[in-house]
Amino acid sequence: MTNNWILPALILIPFIAGLLCWVVDKIDQHLPRYIALFGMLITLGLTVLVGTQESYQYEVGQVLPEWGAQFLVNWIPSLGISIHLALDGLSLLMVGLTALLGVLAVGCSWGEIQKNVGFFHLNLLWSLGGVIGVFIALDMFLFFFFWEMMLVPIYFLIALWGHKGSENKSRVYAATKFFIYTQVAGLIMLIGILGLVIYSYTLTNGVISFNYYSLMAAAHVMEGVSPKLAYILMICMFIGFAVKLPVFPLHGWLPDAHAQAPTAGSVDLAGILIKTAAYGLLRFVLPFFPESSAQFADIAIIFGLIGIFYGAWCAFQQTDMKRLLAYTSISHMGFVLLALYAGTLMSFQGLMIMMLAHGISSAALFIMCGQVYERLHTRDMRLMGGIRGQLPYLAFFLMFFIAALVGIPGLGNFIGEFLILLGSFNAYPVYTILAAVSLVFAGLYGLILIHRALFGTPNPAQQANNPLRDLAGREVALLLICAVSLLWLGLYPQSFLDISQSSMDWIVHSDTSLKPVIQPVIDQILQQMASQQHVEMK
């Protein structure tokens, strides 16, 4: 294996660029913006480069997953910890999404952030660097390090540059709530990881390891020998990811965090951060605990369905634009659980398209929330109306991205939802039909947002803001990037499905591919346990 130095560069460039933004802030307040933009463009360019250099299509039936690029260096050998980074089709697409939305986040905050510009971009880029680390780290200690590290910059983004919420809740309250939720979830996930490490330690006669393959093997042996313990550790890891997704009823942090976050923070949260949870379930929970996950599938899907209808109902009741969009994220994440626990290749491929499309469409809508707020100085839809006649470009893009969010054919969200429903129907027909019915509610809250914001007569309270300024060239450029991306996903999704095909296929068949290797170990341990019990009975 040859080390591909592009992988550590994908993490280090946002960190270095963020640090430079903070350093040069005293020299020129505008310089940090250009450095941050340049840093994220380099990151995006390197992602495209490593994507074109390597192949991400492999033979079906491999015992272990194949990687297009890897980087492995010992870090703390005495504890079995290494800097092991790896890229396959799944992680490549998620890193690409992160880099693209990072560029958009820097662009949308260009005129919004006026105080401590350097420190703002330090936190923004460090959170993005941490997310990229989550997507490419294979060593479980390194993964958990990035998982926790990315939360701190987002806390500062909300606490220092956030808005006052619609219910007069402070931004510090929202940031603290987000931090407590995610920290507690992280500690529960750590219990699951350490449980696996300790079990691996007992199997290998005292060798400590956080290696991906070692812990996967230990988890499979545990499922054969101690299924109840495996189920408990699986639940610990599931909870850690479920809070970030978020899954009902662990979603309490999301509406407040979105309502109070600056625009770039909302882009980060909705577009990227909640995708790390779906990625974690795909990369770790399902391959590590296939049998426990199969037992838990009905419960997880029921929680997902509750979340779909609950999120849609709450979105229907909102008057704040950002809170409405936050609840739509909760609703859409229910489809993620259905796709994950259906466990078919088609549902996984649909999940991949949905994560990309939802990340782009929700990021675009939160960018538009910031643009509306900049012009009307409110996000309360009761104080809007008549924008269509005054801001034709803004009205067009808002209708376009709402259409994408509710799943209009021809755009990426439709492809994702259709593949998920098609791939889940054979395994869970009743749940799939219920999930399909919920799409009606998505159309309902989408139409309500469009009607309240764009149509009718302008609110008298907004007359003082006339004449309103339509979208500038920079704002149109950001939205055009999102629109073209969604059209690409909707009209030619095969270009993305081909990249993730092999990775998803291995996850689907991880149980059967590893069984011939793991089963003899399970049989040997069970024989030893039976002989010990026989001796004790004598």
Side-chain angles (χ1 to χ4, degrees), residues 142-307:
L142 190 64
F143 170 83
F144 188 75
F145 170 80
F146 285 123
W147 182 264
E148 293 297 300
M149 195 223 74
M150 68 182 176
L151 304 177
V152 179
I154 294 172
Y155 172 85
F156 285 119
L157 285 177
I158 299 171
L160 298 180
W161 293 276
H163 308 291
K164 187 175 75 171
S166 57
E167 298 173 5
N168 293 321
K169 293 177 180 175
S170 74
R171 58 198 184 198
V172 177
Y173 166 83
T176 305
K177 190 175 181 180
F178 160 76
F179 195 72
I180 290 172
Y181 263 85
T182 50
Q183 280 296 298
V184 172
L187 288 173
I188 295 171
M189 183 170 70
L190 182 61
I191 293 170
I193 294 172
L194 292 179
L196 275 179
V197 171
I198 293 167
Y199 194 79
S200 173
Y201 176 85
T202 60
L203 289 177
T204 54
N205 297 320
V207 178
I208 302 174
S209 177
F210 285 83
N211 180 274
Y212 181 76
Y213 305 122
S214 301
L215 297 187
M216 186 190 300
H220 278 255
V221 172
M222 187 190 297
E223 284 205 316
V225 177
S226 307
K228 289 183 179 178
L229 178 60
Y231 192 85
I232 291 169
L233 295 186
M234 183 275 296
I235 292 293
C236 288
M237 293 186 71
F238 174 82
I239 290 172
F241 293 122
V243 169
K244 192 74 68 68
L245 194 57
V247 174
F248 175 90
L250 307 173
H251 64 281
W253 62 271
L254 186 68
D256 288 328
H258 271 312
Q260 271 85 288
T263 303
S266 292
V267 169
D268 201 350
L269 282 169
I272 308 166
L273 198 74
I274 60 181
K275 308 303 181 291
T276 60
Y279 171 84
L281 290 167
L282 263 177
R283 176 71 76 210
F284 299 106
V285 175
L286 296 183
F288 279 26
F289 304 102
E291 294 178 11
S292 300
S293 297
Q295 293 173 24
F296 185 65
D298 283 288
I299 299 170
I301 292 173
I302 288 169
F303 277 124
L305 287 173
I306 294 171

Side-chain angles (χ1 to χ4, degrees), residues 376-454:
L376 302 180
H377 309 293
T378 183
R379 296 194 307 267
D380 191 336
M381 291 182 291
R382 293 169 298 185
L383 301 178
M384 298 180 190
I387 296 177
R388 184 179 64 89
Q390 303 173 74
L391 307 170
Y393 283 106
L394 189 145
F396 166 77
F397 280 112
L398 187 61
M399 286 191 282
F400 179 89
F401 291 119
I402 288 293
L405 191 70
V406 302
I408 296 298
L411 300 174
N413 301 64
F414 170 78
I415 300 294
E417 290 169 354
F418 183 76
L419 287 175
I420 288 171
L421 294 172
L422 204 61
S424 306
F425 184 77
N426 283 338
Y428 299 101
V430 176
Y431 296 151
T432 306
I433 291 168
L434 288 172
V437 169
S438 73
L439 296 175
V440 176
F441 291 92
L444 187 62
Y445 59 65
L447 288 172
I448 285 172
L449 195 156
I450 290 173
H451 174 73
R452 289 181 175 176
L454 301 182

Side-chain angles (χ1 to χ4, degrees), residues 20-36 106 109-121 161:
L20 283 174
C21 290
W22 187 41
V23 171
V24 303
D25 188 28
K26 300 295 182 185
I27 302 170
D28 184 354
Q29 200 176 33
H30 298 287
L31 203 53
R33 297 188 174 98
Y34 291 100
I35 293 173
V106 173
S109 60
W110 205 271
E112 180 184 357
I113 304 302
Q114 299 298 330
K115 65 172 186 177
N116 299 324
V117 178
F119 190 52
F120 171 84
H121 286 95
W161 293 276

